[in-house]
Amino acid sequence: MRVVMFGYQTWGHRTLQALLDSEHDVVLVVTHPKSEHAYEKIWSDSVADLAAEHDVPVVIRNRPDDEELLARLKEAEPDIIVANNWRTWIPPHIFNLPRHGTLNVHDSLLPKYAGFSPLIWALINNEPEVGVTAHLMDDELDAGDIVVQRAVPVGPADTATDLFHKTVDLIAPVTVGALDLIASGRTDFTPQDRSQASFFHKRAEEDIRIDWTWPAEDLARLVRAQSAPYPSAFTHHRGKRLEIVAAVVSDATYGGTPGRVFYREGDGVVIVAGADARTGRNHGLAVTRVRTEDGRELPATEYFTSMGGYLTGRP
């Protein structure tokens, strides 16, 4: 089939590479300009550069809603559009233009975790597995019929970075497998169960601010979800920002006020956590590594030279 690809960052790069390696013919690539957004500077392999290396024409747009782009798409005469990590709305007159419509590749197990940062949200929410879904685009975001879907388990110590590497390797087989099914004439794909749908927003500074009233289990997953190269979860100590680089749930239970710097346990320093921490039945968060406001990273047992005081959400 003749394919136009819409994509951005490493997800789009992997998709384009899979298409270039397939039997299909990539006739045009549409991608976004470089961004200074913290999460868009991560996993930023260039779709434009890869297309240029293979002499595929490239159009750079923030939004695909202008007449010049529409004319380029019509001239390309695609049989299908393939999109992955396209960050803005694609209007119906674009996604319905090819005879097979548009195949969107999304890094979640749709209908759950439509929208943005699905791996981070899924890890925070303690999902047992994550994956990649190829679905046909319709008027509702990430809601069209599923063509191919593949899952991988979430391990007990997995970070969002680990999950990225697990799922990015699924892009090629999911994309090419879906295209092959469509090219074969199949149309009986799986409607999404909209009663199970969830939709998440882009992550921002407020989403990584630690709330010590969360249970320690949730906070440990937040720290794993904000693993390098993502911005680390943070709190404040003595009025200064303190990033929590690594942490685990404490072995023992601790009581008191959420955020209290309480006790050395093993290689960590336990911070009291949970809205009902006063009961004494909660595990705390055993922080093992921190990063200070001036960029120094060190073991928590070296940073906290004495117990006592509090970690707070604001200075």
Side-chain angles (χ1 to χ4, degrees), residues 187-205:
T187 58
D188 55 332
F189 301 122
T190 306
Q192 294 190 38
D193 179 357
R194 302 310 295 159
S195 70
Q196 300 299 309
S198 56
F199 180 66
F200 286 82
H201 61 75
K202 287 183 181 180
R203 292 186 65 77
E205 181 88 347

Side-chain angles (χ1 to χ4, degrees), residues 16-201:
L16 178 56
Q17 188 64 65
L19 294 170
L20 292 168
D21 292 340
S22 74
E23 297 178 350
H24 305 286
D25 184 17
V26 183
V27 295
L28 182 68
V29 165
V30 187
T31 189
H32 294 302
K34 290 182 179 180
S35 169
E36 292 304 310
H37 187 283
Y39 285 85
E40 293 185 7
K41 292 167 69 176
I42 299 168
W43 315 125
S44 57
D45 293 305
S46 172
V47 171
D49 289 351
L50 180 60
E53 289 169 15
H54 291 268
D55 297 320
V56 179
V58 179
V59 177
I60 296 176
R61 291 289 189 277
N62 279 313
R63 297 181 179 277
D65 54 5
D66 60 275
E67 290 302 317
E68 180 187 353
L69 176 58
L70 179 59
R72 292 287 300 274
L73 292 171
K74 288 179 177 178
E75 289 170 7
E77 298 182 336
D79 296 305
I80 194 166
I81 292 172
V82 175
N84 191 349
N85 199 42
W86 182 261
R87 313 297 278 178
T88 56
W89 181 63
I90 298 177
H93 71 274
I94 299 292
F95 69 69
N96 284 325
L97 179 65
R99 64 191 180 97
H100 290 298
T102 294
L103 182 77
N104 186 53
V105 182
H106 181 70
D107 56 336
S108 84
L109 296 175
L110 294 173
K112 293 182 177 181
Y113 298 95
F116 299 90
S117 304
L119 295 177
I120 294 177
W121 288 113
L123 179 53
I124 291 170
N125 290 332
N126 201 27
E127 297 290 351
E129 57 183 11
V130 293
V132 172
T133 303
H135 71 96
L136 294 171
M137 191 173 287
D138 64 12
D139 290 337
E140 190 173 352
L141 185 65
D142 294 336
D145 289 357
I146 293 171
V147 181
V148 174
Q149 184 174 81
R150 290 181 61 175
V152 290
V154 177
D158 275 346
T159 65
T161 305
D162 296 326
L163 298 182
F164 165 81
H165 289 296
K166 286 184 178 183
T167 54
V168 79
D169 287 340
L170 297 178
I171 289 174
V174 166
T175 302
V176 177
L179 286 179
D180 290 348
L181 286 174
I182 293 167
S184 74
R186 280 276 303 275
T187 58
D188 55 332
F189 301 122
T190 306
Q192 294 190 38
D193 179 357
R194 302 310 295 159
S195 70
Q196 300 299 309
S198 56
F199 180 66
F200 286 82
H201 61 75

Side-chain angles (χ1 to χ4, degrees), residues 187-246:
T187 58
D188 55 332
F189 301 122
T190 306
Q192 294 190 38
D193 179 357
R194 302 310 295 159
S195 70
Q196 300 299 309
S198 56
F199 180 66
F200 286 82
H201 61 75
K202 287 183 181 180
R203 292 186 65 77
E205 181 88 347
E206 196 61 29
D207 301 305
I208 63 175
R209 187 189 307 274
I210 291 176
D211 180 347
W212 293 104
T213 65
W214 283 22
E217 294 81 1
D218 293 352
L219 292 176
R221 289 195 301 273
L222 173 64
V223 171
R224 284 162 47 208
Q226 295 299 145
S227 58
Y230 296 104
S232 295
F234 73 96
T235 185
H236 287 85
H237 183 228
R238 296 175 178 169
K240 294 186 177 181
R241 182 181 175 120
L242 183 69
E243 295 181 352
I244 307 302
V245 176

